[in-house]
Amino acid sequence: MLANTRRDPSAILLVTQLAGLLLYPFTESSGVGRALFSMFGILILGLVLLAVRNTPALTGVAVVLGIPTTILLLIQAANGGNDDLQPYTSALEAVLYFYAAGALIAYMLADHEITRDELFAVGATFTLVAWAFAHLYTVNQAIEPQSFTAAVDPAGARTWVELLFLSFTTLTSTGLSDVIPVKPFARGVVMIEQLAGLAYVAVLVSRIVALTVRGRASGA
């Protein structure tokens, strides 16, 4: 397992994040669940640092961002997932995830031969961007309450799962979310994510596909 993590850190990061999508809904209803949510966040941070270490990016920058984030997550876990700290933790996590996504993009653009880990990095980078924007929405909601509304409890604060759902549907341009931005700044951030998702598919994914096809044609 350790050898696989070192060889394909992007694959492990992607699988763990996808598992989190199924686990998060069970962690929001109790203090113990929110504490587990914080501990899971620490695991994700560790995998992010490992993935960045495998890229040309400066690992030190990621570590500097990761240390205070981990400390806040540990405090949240010790206090049963204290929501008062969530905006501060989310702000740090958003910066770290955006940085890690940029590092993975640089990693995938560094050469013209596609490795197995780079293929997994395509998915891992996409999920990192989705996570980063979800954390950005959390900060937005804390600064400007009722920035987002939904079919269920329209005036209430949106949960992490709801904001992550909004982020994924926005980034993929599926438009299936019942969570929508209603304040001007929130709508601005959502529009930026829409452009990011479109650019990711148009530029990076198409390049990876083209290089993969060319590599197979050359080997034929």
Side-chain angles (χ1 to χ4, degrees), residues 113-125:
E113 294 183 4
I114 304 303
T115 64
R116 182 174 64 178
D117 187 62
E118 286 176 336
L119 290 176
F120 283 116
V122 173
T125 302

Side-chain angles (χ1 to χ4, degrees), residues 70-139:
T70 302
I71 292 173
L72 286 177
L73 286 171
L74 286 172
I75 295 174
Q76 282 185 264
N79 288 276
N82 186 358
D83 291 336
D84 293 338
L85 293 176
Q86 187 59 51
Y88 304 99
T89 306
S90 288
L92 290 171
E93 287 188 270
V95 175
L96 178 59
Y97 287 168
F98 278 127
Y99 178 80
L104 288 176
I105 290 174
Y107 167 56
M108 289 183 282
L109 296 176
D111 56 51
H112 297 286
E113 294 183 4
I114 304 303
T115 64
R116 182 174 64 178
D117 187 62
E118 286 176 336
L119 290 176
F120 283 116
V122 173
T125 302
F126 193 85
T127 53
L128 279 175
V129 174
W131 251 256
F133 273 102
H135 283 296
L136 203 57
Y137 295 152
T138 300
V139 177

Side-chain angles (χ1 to χ4, degrees), residues 24-106:
Y24 283 144
F26 300 101
T27 65
E28 293 188 321
S29 59
S30 67
V32 174
R34 289 191 292 272
L36 292 176
F37 171 85
S38 298
M39 297 304 296
F40 187 80
I42 294 174
L43 172 62
I44 294 293
L45 284 179
L47 293 174
V48 167
L49 292 177
L50 187 61
V52 171
R53 194 186 69 174
N54 204 36
T55 73
L58 294 175
T59 307
V61 176
V63 172
V64 169
L65 292 171
I67 289 175
T69 308
T70 302
I71 292 173
L72 286 177
L73 286 171
L74 286 172
I75 295 174
Q76 282 185 264
N79 288 276
N82 186 358
D83 291 336
D84 293 338
L85 293 176
Q86 187 59 51
Y88 304 99
T89 306
S90 288
L92 290 171
E93 287 188 270
V95 175
L96 178 59
Y97 287 168
F98 278 127
Y99 178 80
L104 288 176
I105 290 174

